Coordinates of all heavy atoms in Angstrom, one line a residue:
M1 N 0.9 -1.2 0.0 CA 0.0 0.0 0.0 C 0.9 1.2 0.0 O 1.8 1.4 0.8 CB -0.9 0.0 1.2 CG -1.7 1.3 1.4 SD -2.7 1.3 2.9 CE -4.1 0.4 2.2
P2 N 0.6 2.2 -0.9 CA 1.5 3.4 -1.0 C 1.2 4.3 0.2 O 0.2 4.3 0.9 CB 1.0 4.1 -2.3 CG -0.3 3.5 -2.6 CD -0.4 2.1 -1.9
H3 N 2.2 5.1 0.5 CA 2.2 6.0 1.6 C 1.3 7.2 1.3 O 0.7 7.8 2.2 CB 3.5 6.5 2.0 CG 4.4 5.4 2.5 ND1 5.4 4.9 1.8 CD2 4.4 4.7 3.7 CE1 6.0 3.9 2.5 NE2 5.4 3.8 3.6
I4 N 1.2 7.5 0.0 CA 0.4 8.6 -0.5 C -0.4 8.1 -1.7 O 0.2 7.5 -2.6 CB 1.2 9.9 -0.9 CG1 2.0 10.4 0.3 CG2 0.4 10.9 -1.5 CD1 3.0 11.5 0.0
D5 N -1.7 8.4 -1.7 CA -2.5 8.0 -2.9 C -3.6 9.0 -3.1 O -4.5 9.2 -2.2 CB -3.2 6.6 -2.5 CG -3.9 6.0 -3.7 OD1 -4.1 6.7 -4.7 OD2 -4.2 4.8 -3.7
V6 N -3.5 9.8 -4.2 CA -4.3 10.9 -4.4 C -4.9 10.8 -5.8 O -4.1 10.5 -6.8 CB -3.6 12.3 -4.3 CG1 -4.5 13.5 -4.5 CG2 -2.9 12.4 -3.0
T7 N -6.2 11.1 -6.0 CA -6.8 11.1 -7.3 C -7.5 12.4 -7.5 O -8.2 12.8 -6.6 CB -7.7 9.9 -7.5 OG1 -7.0 8.7 -7.3 CG2 -8.4 9.9 -8.9
R8 N -7.4 13.0 -8.7 CA -8.1 14.2 -9.1 C -8.9 13.9 -10.4 O -8.2 13.5 -11.3 CB -7.2 15.4 -9.3 CG -6.7 16.0 -8.0 CD -7.8 16.7 -7.2 NE -7.3 17.3 -6.0 CZ -6.9 16.7 -4.9 NH1 -6.9 15.4 -4.9 NH2 -6.4 17.3 -3.9
R9 N -10.1 14.2 -10.4 CA -10.9 14.1 -11.6 C -10.7 15.4 -12.4 O -10.5 16.4 -11.8 CB -12.4 13.8 -11.3 CG -12.5 12.6 -10.4 CD -13.6 11.6 -10.6 NE -14.2 11.4 -11.9 CZ -13.9 10.4 -12.7 NH1 -12.9 9.6 -12.5 NH2 -14.6 10.2 -13.8
H10 N -10.9 15.4 -13.7 CA -10.7 16.6 -14.5 C -11.4 16.4 -15.8 O -11.9 15.3 -16.2 CB -9.2 16.9 -14.7 CG -8.5 15.8 -15.5 ND1 -8.6 15.6 -16.8 CD2 -7.7 14.8 -15.0 CE1 -7.9 14.5 -17.2 NE2 -7.3 14.0 -16.1
D11 N -11.4 17.5 -16.6 CA -12.0 17.5 -17.9 C -10.9 17.9 -19.0 O -11.2 18.5 -20.0 CB -13.1 18.5 -18.0 CG -14.3 18.1 -17.2 OD1 -14.6 16.9 -17.1 OD2 -15.0 19.0 -16.7
L12 N -9.7 17.5 -18.7 CA -8.5 17.9 -19.5 C -8.3 17.0 -20.7 O -7.5 17.3 -21.6 CB -7.3 18.0 -18.7 CG -7.3 18.9 -17.5 CD1 -6.1 18.8 -16.6 CD2 -7.5 20.4 -17.9
G13 N -8.8 15.8 -20.7 CA -8.4 14.8 -21.7 C -7.1 14.2 -21.3 O -6.4 14.6 -20.4
L14 N -6.7 13.2 -22.1 CA -5.4 12.5 -21.8 C -4.2 13.4 -22.0 O -3.3 13.4 -21.1 CB -5.3 11.3 -22.7 CG -4.1 10.4 -22.5 CD1 -4.0 9.9 -21.0 CD2 -4.1 9.2 -23.4
A15 N -4.2 14.2 -23.0 CA -3.0 15.1 -23.2 C -2.9 16.1 -22.0 O -1.8 16.3 -21.5 CB -3.1 15.8 -24.5
G16 N -4.0 16.6 -21.6 CA -4.0 17.6 -20.5 C -3.6 16.9 -19.2 O -2.9 17.4 -18.4
A17 N -4.0 15.6 -19.0 CA -3.7 14.9 -17.8 C -2.2 14.6 -17.8 O -1.5 14.7 -16.7 CB -4.5 13.6 -17.7
R18 N -1.6 14.3 -18.9 CA -0.2 14.0 -19.0 C 0.6 15.3 -18.7 O 1.6 15.2 -17.9 CB 0.2 13.5 -20.4 CG -0.3 12.0 -20.6 CD 0.0 11.6 -22.0 NE 1.4 11.6 -22.4 CZ 2.2 10.5 -22.3 NH1 1.7 9.3 -21.9 NH2 3.5 10.6 -22.6
L19 N 0.1 16.4 -19.2 CA 0.8 17.7 -18.9 C 0.7 18.0 -17.4 O 1.7 18.4 -16.8 CB 0.2 18.8 -19.7 CG 0.8 20.2 -19.5 CD1 2.3 20.2 -19.9 CD2 0.0 21.2 -20.4
A20 N -0.5 17.8 -16.8 CA -0.7 18.0 -15.4 C 0.3 17.1 -14.6 O 0.9 17.6 -13.6 CB -2.1 17.8 -15.0
A21 N 0.4 15.9 -14.9 CA 1.3 15.0 -14.2 C 2.7 15.5 -14.3 O 3.5 15.5 -13.3 CB 1.2 13.5 -14.8
E22 N 3.1 15.9 -15.5 CA 4.5 16.4 -15.6 C 4.7 17.7 -14.8 O 5.8 17.9 -14.2 CB 4.8 16.8 -17.1 CG 5.0 15.5 -18.0 CD 5.2 15.9 -19.4 OE1 5.0 17.0 -19.8 OE2 5.6 14.9 -20.1
E23 N 3.7 18.6 -14.8 CA 3.9 19.8 -14.0 C 4.0 19.5 -12.5 O 4.8 20.1 -11.8 CB 2.7 20.7 -14.3 CG 2.6 21.3 -15.7 CD 3.7 22.2 -16.0 OE1 4.4 22.8 -15.1 OE2 3.9 22.5 -17.3
V24 N 3.2 18.6 -12.0 CA 3.2 18.3 -10.6 C 4.6 17.7 -10.3 O 5.2 18.0 -9.3 CB 2.1 17.3 -10.2 CG1 2.2 16.8 -8.8 CG2 0.7 18.0 -10.4
A25 N 5.1 16.7 -11.1 CA 6.4 16.1 -10.9 C 7.5 17.2 -10.9 O 8.4 17.1 -10.1 CB 6.6 15.0 -11.9
D26 N 7.4 18.1 -11.9 CA 8.4 19.2 -12.0 C 8.4 20.0 -10.7 O 9.5 20.4 -10.2 CB 8.1 20.0 -13.2 CG 8.5 19.4 -14.5 OD1 9.2 18.3 -14.5 OD2 8.1 19.9 -15.6
E27 N 7.2 20.3 -10.2 CA 7.2 21.1 -9.0 C 7.9 20.4 -7.8 O 8.6 21.0 -7.0 CB 5.7 21.4 -8.6 CG 5.0 22.3 -9.6 CD 5.2 23.8 -9.3 OE1 6.0 24.2 -8.4 OE2 4.6 24.6 -10.1
L28 N 7.6 19.1 -7.7 CA 8.2 18.3 -6.6 C 9.7 18.1 -6.8 O 10.4 18.1 -5.8 CB 7.5 17.0 -6.5 CG 6.1 16.9 -6.1 CD1 5.4 15.6 -6.2 CD2 6.0 17.4 -4.6
S29 N 10.1 18.1 -8.1 CA 11.5 17.9 -8.4 C 12.4 19.0 -7.8 O 13.6 18.8 -7.6 CB 11.7 17.7 -9.9 OG 11.2 16.5 -10.4
G30 N 11.8 20.2 -7.7 CA 12.6 21.3 -7.2 C 13.3 21.0 -5.9 O 14.4 21.5 -5.7
H31 N 12.7 20.3 -5.0 CA 13.4 20.0 -3.7 C 13.5 18.5 -3.4 O 14.1 18.2 -2.4 CB 12.6 20.7 -2.6 CG 11.2 20.4 -2.5 ND1 10.3 21.0 -3.3 CD2 10.5 19.6 -1.7 CE1 9.1 20.5 -3.0 NE2 9.2 19.7 -2.0
L32 N 13.0 17.6 -4.3 CA 13.2 16.2 -4.0 C 14.1 15.5 -5.0 O 14.3 14.3 -4.9 CB 11.8 15.5 -4.1 CG 10.9 15.9 -2.9 CD1 9.5 15.2 -3.2 CD2 11.4 15.4 -1.6
A33 N 14.7 16.3 -5.9 CA 15.7 15.8 -6.9 C 15.2 14.5 -7.6 O 15.8 13.5 -7.6 CB 17.0 15.5 -6.2
L34 N 14.0 14.6 -8.2 CA 13.4 13.5 -8.9 C 13.9 13.3 -10.3 O 14.1 14.3 -11.0 CB 11.9 13.6 -8.9 CG 11.2 13.8 -7.5 CD1 9.7 13.9 -7.7 CD2 11.5 12.6 -6.6
R35 N 14.0 12.1 -10.8 CA 14.2 11.8 -12.2 C 12.9 11.2 -12.7 O 12.3 10.4 -12.0 CB 15.4 10.8 -12.3 CG 16.7 11.4 -11.9 CD 17.8 10.3 -11.8 NE 17.4 9.0 -11.2 CZ 17.3 8.8 -9.9 NH1 17.5 9.7 -9.0 NH2 17.0 7.6 -9.5
T36 N 12.5 11.6 -13.9 CA 11.2 11.1 -14.4 C 11.3 10.5 -15.7 O 12.2 10.9 -16.5 CB 10.2 12.2 -14.4 OG1 10.6 13.2 -15.3 CG2 9.9 12.9 -13.1
H37 N 10.4 9.6 -16.0 CA 10.3 9.0 -17.4 C 8.9 8.5 -17.5 O 8.2 8.1 -16.5 CB 11.3 8.0 -17.7 CG 11.2 6.7 -16.9 ND1 11.6 6.6 -15.6 CD2 10.6 5.5 -17.3 CE1 11.3 5.3 -15.2 NE2 10.7 4.7 -16.2
W38 N 8.4 8.4 -18.8 CA 7.1 7.9 -19.0 C 7.1 6.4 -19.4 O 8.0 5.9 -20.1 CB 6.4 8.6 -20.2 CG 5.9 10.0 -19.9 CD1 6.6 11.1 -20.1 CD2 4.7 10.3 -19.3 NE1 5.8 12.2 -19.7 CE2 4.6 11.7 -19.1 CE3 3.6 9.5 -18.8 CZ2 3.5 12.3 -18.6 CZ3 2.5 10.1 -18.3 CH2 2.5 11.5 -18.1
E39 N 6.2 5.7 -18.8 CA 5.9 4.3 -19.2 C 4.5 4.2 -19.6 O 3.6 4.2 -18.7 CB 6.3 3.3 -18.1 CG 7.8 3.2 -17.8 CD 8.1 2.2 -16.7 OE1 7.2 1.4 -16.3 OE2 9.3 2.1 -16.3
G40 N 4.2 4.3 -20.8 CA 2.8 4.4 -21.3 C 2.2 5.7 -20.8 O 2.7 6.7 -21.1
D41 N 1.1 5.6 -20.1 CA 0.4 6.8 -19.6 C 0.8 7.1 -18.1 O 0.1 7.8 -17.4 CB -1.1 6.8 -19.8 CG -1.5 6.9 -21.2 OD1 -0.8 7.6 -22.0 OD2 -2.4 6.2 -21.6
T42 N 1.8 6.5 -17.6 CA 2.3 6.7 -16.2 C 3.6 7.3 -16.2 O 4.6 6.8 -16.8 CB 2.3 5.3 -15.5 OG1 1.0 4.7 -15.5 CG2 2.7 5.5 -14.0
L43 N 3.7 8.4 -15.5 CA 5.0 9.1 -15.3 C 5.6 8.5 -14.1 O 5.0 8.6 -13.0 CB 4.8 10.6 -15.2 CG 6.0 11.5 -15.0 CD1 6.9 11.4 -16.3 CD2 5.7 12.9 -14.7
I44 N 6.8 8.0 -14.2 CA 7.5 7.4 -13.0 C 8.5 8.5 -12.5 O 9.2 9.0 -13.3 CB 8.3 6.1 -13.4 CG1 7.4 5.1 -14.2 CG2 9.0 5.5 -12.2 CD1 6.3 4.6 -13.4
A45 N 8.4 8.7 -11.2 CA 9.3 9.8 -10.6 C 10.0 9.1 -9.5 O 9.4 8.6 -8.5 CB 8.5 10.9 -10.1
R46 N 11.4 9.1 -9.6 CA 12.2 8.5 -8.5 C 13.2 9.5 -8.1 O 13.8 10.2 -8.8 CB 12.8 7.2 -9.0 CG 11.8 6.1 -9.3 CD 12.4 4.8 -9.4 NE 11.4 3.8 -9.5 CZ 11.1 3.1 -10.6 NH1 11.8 3.4 -11.7 NH2 10.1 2.2 -10.7
G47 N 13.5 9.4 -6.8 CA 14.6 10.2 -6.2 C 14.9 9.5 -4.8 O 14.3 8.5 -4.4
P48 N 15.9 10.1 -4.1 CA 16.2 9.6 -2.8 C 15.0 9.4 -1.9 O 14.4 10.4 -1.5 CB 17.3 10.5 -2.3 CG 17.8 11.3 -3.5 CD 16.6 11.3 -4.4
G49 N 14.6 8.2 -1.6 CA 13.5 8.0 -0.7 C 12.1 8.3 -1.3 O 11.1 8.3 -0.5
F50 N 12.0 8.4 -2.6 CA 10.8 8.8 -3.2 C 10.6 7.9 -4.5 O 11.4 7.9 -5.4 CB 10.8 10.2 -3.7 CG 9.5 10.8 -4.2 CD1 8.6 11.5 -3.4 CD2 9.1 10.5 -5.5 CE1 7.4 12.0 -3.9 CE2 7.9 11.0 -6.0 CZ 7.1 11.8 -5.2
N51 N 9.5 7.2 -4.5 CA 9.1 6.4 -5.7 C 7.7 6.6 -6.0 O 6.8 6.1 -5.4 CB 9.3 4.9 -5.4 CG 9.1 4.0 -6.6 OD1 9.0 4.4 -7.7 ND2 8.9 2.7 -6.3
G52 N 7.4 7.5 -7.1 CA 6.1 7.9 -7.4 C 5.6 7.5 -8.7 O 6.4 7.3 -9.7
H53 N 4.3 7.3 -8.9 CA 3.7 7.0 -10.2 C 2.5 8.0 -10.4 O 1.6 8.1 -9.5 CB 3.1 5.6 -10.1 CG 4.2 4.5 -10.1 ND1 4.8 4.2 -8.9 CD2 4.8 3.8 -11.0 CE1 5.7 3.3 -9.1 NE2 5.7 3.0 -10.4
F54 N 2.6 8.7 -11.5 CA 1.6 9.7 -11.8 C 0.8 9.1 -13.0 O 1.3 9.3 -14.2 CB 2.2 11.0 -12.2 CG 3.0 11.7 -11.1 CD1 4.2 11.1 -10.6 CD2 2.5 12.8 -10.4 CE1 4.9 11.7 -9.6 CE2 3.2 13.4 -9.4 CZ 4.4 12.8 -9.0
H55 N -0.3 8.5 -12.8 CA -1.1 7.9 -13.9 C -2.0 8.9 -14.5 O -2.9 9.4 -13.8 CB -1.8 6.6 -13.4 CG -2.6 6.0 -14.5 ND1 -2.0 5.3 -15.5 CD2 -3.9 6.0 -14.7 CE1 -2.9 4.9 -16.3 NE2 -4.1 5.3 -15.9
A56 N -1.9 9.1 -15.8 CA -2.7 10.0 -16.5 C -3.8 9.3 -17.2 O -3.6 8.3 -17.9 CB -1.9 10.8 -17.5
A57 N -5.1 9.7 -17.0 CA -6.2 9.1 -17.7 C -7.1 10.2 -18.3 O -6.9 11.4 -17.9 CB -7.1 8.3 -16.7
P58 N -7.9 10.0 -19.3 CA -8.7 11.0 -19.9 C -9.5 11.8 -18.9 O -9.8 13.0 -19.2 CB -9.5 10.3 -20.9 CG -8.8 9.0 -21.2 CD -8.1 8.7 -19.9
D59 N -9.9 11.2 -17.8 CA -10.8 11.9 -16.8 C -10.2 12.1 -15.4 O -10.9 12.5 -14.5 CB -12.1 11.3 -16.8 CG -12.1 9.8 -16.3 OD1 -10.9 9.3 -16.2 OD2 -13.1 9.2 -16.0
S60 N -9.0 11.6 -15.2 CA -8.4 11.7 -13.9 C -6.9 11.6 -13.9 O -6.3 11.2 -14.9 CB -8.9 10.6 -13.0 OG -8.5 9.3 -13.5
V61 N -6.3 12.1 -12.8 CA -4.8 11.9 -12.6 C -4.7 11.2 -11.2 O -5.3 11.7 -10.2 CB -4.1 13.2 -12.6 CG1 -2.6 13.0 -12.2 CG2 -4.2 13.9 -13.9
R62 N -4.0 10.1 -11.1 CA -3.8 9.5 -9.8 C -2.3 9.5 -9.5 O -1.5 9.1 -10.4 CB -4.3 8.0 -9.9 CG -4.1 7.3 -8.5 CD -4.7 5.9 -8.5 NE -4.6 5.3 -7.2 CZ -4.5 4.0 -7.0 NH1 -4.6 3.2 -8.1 NH2 -4.4 3.5 -5.8
V63 N -2.0 9.9 -8.3 CA -0.6 9.9 -7.8 C -0.5 8.9 -6.7 O -1.2 9.0 -5.7 CB -0.2 11.3 -7.4 CG1 1.3 11.3 -6.9 CG2 -0.4 12.3 -8.5
T64 N 0.5 8.0 -6.8 CA 0.8 7.1 -5.7 C 2.3 7.2 -5.4 O 3.1 7.3 -6.3 CB 0.4 5.6 -6.0 OG1 1.1 5.2 -7.2 CG2 -1.1 5.4 -6.2
V65 N 2.6 7.3 -4.1 CA 4.0 7.5 -3.7 C 4.3 6.5 -2.6 O 3.6 6.4 -1.6 CB 4.3 8.9 -3.3 CG1 5.7 9.1 -2.9 CG2 3.9 9.9 -4.4
D66 N 5.5 5.9 -2.8 CA 6.1 5.1 -1.7 C 7.3 5.9 -1.2 O 8.1 6.4 -2.0 CB 6.6 3.7 -2.1 CG 5.4 2.8 -2.5 OD1 4.5 2.7 -1.7 OD2 5.5 2.2 -3.5
L67 N 7.3 6.1 0.1 CA 8.4 6.9 0.7 C 9.4 6.1 1.5 O 9.0 5.1 2.2 CB 7.8 8.0 1.7 CG 6.9 9.0 1.1 CD1 6.2 9.8 2.1 CD2 7.6 9.9 0.1
G68 N 10.6 6.4 1.4 CA 11.7 5.7 2.2 C 11.6 6.2 3.6 O 10.9 7.2 4.0
L69 N 12.4 5.6 4.5 CA 12.3 5.9 5.9 C 12.6 7.4 6.2 O 12.0 8.0 7.1 CB 13.3 5.0 6.6 CG 13.0 3.5 6.8 CD1 14.1 2.8 7.4 CD2 11.7 3.4 7.6
V70 N 13.5 8.0 5.5 CA 13.9 9.3 5.7 C 12.8 10.3 5.4 O 12.6 11.3 6.2 CB 15.2 9.7 4.9 CG1 15.5 11.2 5.1 CG2 16.4 8.9 5.4
L71 N 12.0 10.0 4.4 CA 10.9 11.0 4.0 C 9.6 10.7 4.7 O 8.7 11.5 4.6 CB 10.7 10.9 2.5 CG 11.9 11.6 1.6 CD1 11.5 11.5 0.2 CD2 12.1 13.0 2.1
R72 N 9.4 9.5 5.3 CA 8.1 9.2 5.9 C 7.7 10.2 6.9 O 6.5 10.5 6.9 CB 8.2 7.8 6.5 CG 8.1 6.7 5.4 CD 8.1 5.4 6.0 NE 8.4 4.4 4.9 CZ 8.7 3.2 5.1 NH1 8.7 2.7 6.4 NH2 8.9 2.4 4.1
P73 N 8.5 10.8 7.7 CA 8.0 11.8 8.6 C 7.5 13.1 7.9 O 6.7 13.9 8.5 CB 9.3 12.2 9.5 CG 10.2 11.0 9.4 CD 9.9 10.5 8.0
L74 N 7.8 13.3 6.6 CA 7.4 14.4 5.9 C 6.2 14.1 5.0 O 5.8 14.8 4.1 CB 8.5 14.9 5.0 CG 9.8 15.3 5.7 CD1 10.9 15.7 4.7 CD2 9.5 16.5 6.6
R75 N 5.6 12.9 5.2 CA 4.4 12.4 4.4 C 3.3 13.5 4.3 O 2.8 13.7 3.2 CB 3.9 11.1 5.0 CG 2.8 10.5 4.1 CD 2.2 9.2 4.7 NE 1.4 9.4 5.9 CZ 0.2 9.8 5.9 NH1 -0.4 10.0 4.7 NH2 -0.5 9.9 7.0
R76 N 2.9 14.0 5.4 CA 1.8 15.0 5.4 C 2.2 16.2 4.5 O 1.4 16.8 3.8 CB 1.4 15.4 6.8 CG 0.6 14.4 7.5 CD 0.1 14.9 8.8 NE -0.6 13.9 9.5 CZ -1.0 13.9 10.8 NH1 -0.6 15.0 11.5 NH2 -1.6 12.9 11.3
S77 N 3.4 16.7 4.7 CA 3.8 17.9 4.0 C 3.9 17.6 2.5 O 3.5 18.4 1.6 CB 5.2 18.3 4.5 OG 5.8 19.3 3.7
I78 N 4.5 16.4 2.1 CA 4.5 16.0 0.7 C 3.1 15.8 0.1 O 2.9 16.3 -1.0 CB 5.4 14.8 0.5 CG1 6.9 15.1 0.9 CG2 5.3 14.2 -0.9 CD1 7.7 13.8 1.1
R79 N 2.3 15.2 0.9 CA 0.9 15.0 0.5 C 0.2 16.4 0.2 O -0.5 16.6 -0.8 CB 0.1 14.2 1.5 CG -1.4 14.2 1.4 CD -1.9 13.4 0.2 NE -3.3 13.6 0.0 CZ -4.3 12.7 0.2 NH1 -3.9 11.5 0.6 NH2 -5.5 13.0 -0.1
S80 N 0.4 17.3 1.1 CA -0.2 18.6 0.9 C 0.3 19.3 -0.3 O -0.5 20.0 -1.0 CB 0.1 19.5 2.1 OG -0.5 19.1 3.3
E81 N 1.6 19.2 -0.6 CA 2.1 19.8 -1.8 C 1.5 19.1 -3.1 O 1.2 19.8 -4.0 CB 3.7 19.6 -1.9 CG 4.4 20.5 -1.0 CD 5.9 20.4 -1.2 OE1 6.3 20.7 -2.4 OE2 6.6 20.0 -0.3
I82 N 1.4 17.8 -3.1 CA 0.8 17.1 -4.2 C -0.6 17.6 -4.4 O -1.1 17.8 -5.5 CB 0.9 15.6 -4.0 CG1 2.4 15.1 -4.1 CG2 0.0 14.8 -5.0 CD1 2.6 13.7 -3.7
D83 N -1.4 17.7 -3.3 CA -2.8 18.1 -3.3 C -2.8 19.5 -4.0 O -3.6 19.8 -4.9 CB -3.4 18.2 -2.0 CG -3.9 16.8 -1.4 OD1 -4.2 15.9 -2.3 OD2 -3.9 16.7 -0.2
E84 N -2.0 20.4 -3.5 CA -1.9 21.8 -4.0 C -1.6 21.9 -5.5 O -2.3 22.5 -6.2 CB -0.9 22.6 -3.2 CG -0.7 24.0 -3.7 CD 0.4 24.8 -3.0 OE1 0.7 24.4 -1.8 OE2 1.0 25.7 -3.6
Y85 N -0.6 21.1 -5.9 CA -0.2 21.2 -7.3 C -1.3 20.5 -8.2 O -1.6 21.0 -9.3 CB 1.1 20.5 -7.5 CG 2.3 21.1 -6.7 CD1 3.3 20.3 -6.2 CD2 2.4 22.5 -6.5 CE1 4.4 20.9 -5.5 CE2 3.4 23.0 -5.8 CZ 4.4 22.2 -5.3 OH 5.5 22.8 -4.6
L86 N -1.8 19.4 -7.7 CA -2.9 18.8 -8.5 C -4.1 19.7 -8.7 O -4.7 19.8 -9.7 CB -3.3 17.5 -7.9 CG -2.5 16.2 -8.2 CD1 -3.0 15.0 -7.4 CD2 -2.4 15.9 -9.7
D87 N -4.5 20.4 -7.6 CA -5.6 21.3 -7.7 C -5.3 22.4 -8.7 O -6.1 22.8 -9.5 CB -5.9 21.9 -6.3 CG -6.5 21.0 -5.3 OD1 -7.0 19.9 -5.8 OD2 -6.5 21.2 -4.1
R88 N -4.0 22.9 -8.6 CA -3.6 24.0 -9.5 C -3.7 23.5 -11.0 O -4.2 24.3 -11.9 CB -2.2 24.5 -9.2 CG -1.8 25.6 -10.1 CD -0.4 26.0 -9.8 NE -0.1 26.1 -8.3 CZ 1.1 26.1 -7.8 NH1 2.2 25.9 -8.6 NH2 1.3 26.2 -6.5
Y89 N -3.2 22.4 -11.3 CA -3.0 21.9 -12.7 C -4.2 21.2 -13.2 O -4.3 21.0 -14.5 CB -1.7 21.1 -12.9 CG -0.5 22.0 -12.6 CD1 0.3 21.8 -11.5 CD2 -0.2 23.0 -13.5 CE1 1.4 22.6 -11.3 CE2 0.9 23.8 -13.3 CZ 1.7 23.6 -12.2 OH 2.8 24.4 -12.0
T90 N -5.1 20.8 -12.4 CA -6.3 20.1 -12.9 C -7.6 20.9 -12.8 O -8.7 20.4 -13.1 CB -6.5 18.7 -12.2 OG1 -6.7 18.9 -10.8 CG2 -5.4 17.8 -12.4
E91 N -7.5 22.2 -12.4 CA -8.6 23.0 -12.3 C -9.3 23.1 -13.7 O -8.6 23.2 -14.7 CB -8.3 24.4 -11.8 CG -8.1 24.5 -10.4 CD -7.8 26.0 -9.9 OE1 -7.9 26.9 -10.7 OE2 -7.7 26.1 -8.7
V92 N -10.6 23.1 -13.7 CA -11.3 23.2 -14.9 C -11.9 24.6 -15.1 O -12.2 25.3 -14.2 CB -12.5 22.2 -14.9 CG1 -13.3 22.3 -16.2 CG2 -12.0 20.8 -14.7

């Protein structure tokens, strides 16, 4: 079970969802040093203690994150950031 699991519905279509996933991952990369790549419609984001999947669908974006021991105490803060960024990029 992931430490963070967030889903946002949207009306952006698949291309918009992919863009939103990239934007959220880019925002997080600023301080988590993430490396990203696409596998189908899922953006994989990995960094020290961070293993995230940003799944883009035509009507939703789902973010699941497994955190290493060092980042687990920051789970609420990271979750809040993901919520904020998803709200920003999936607003209709």
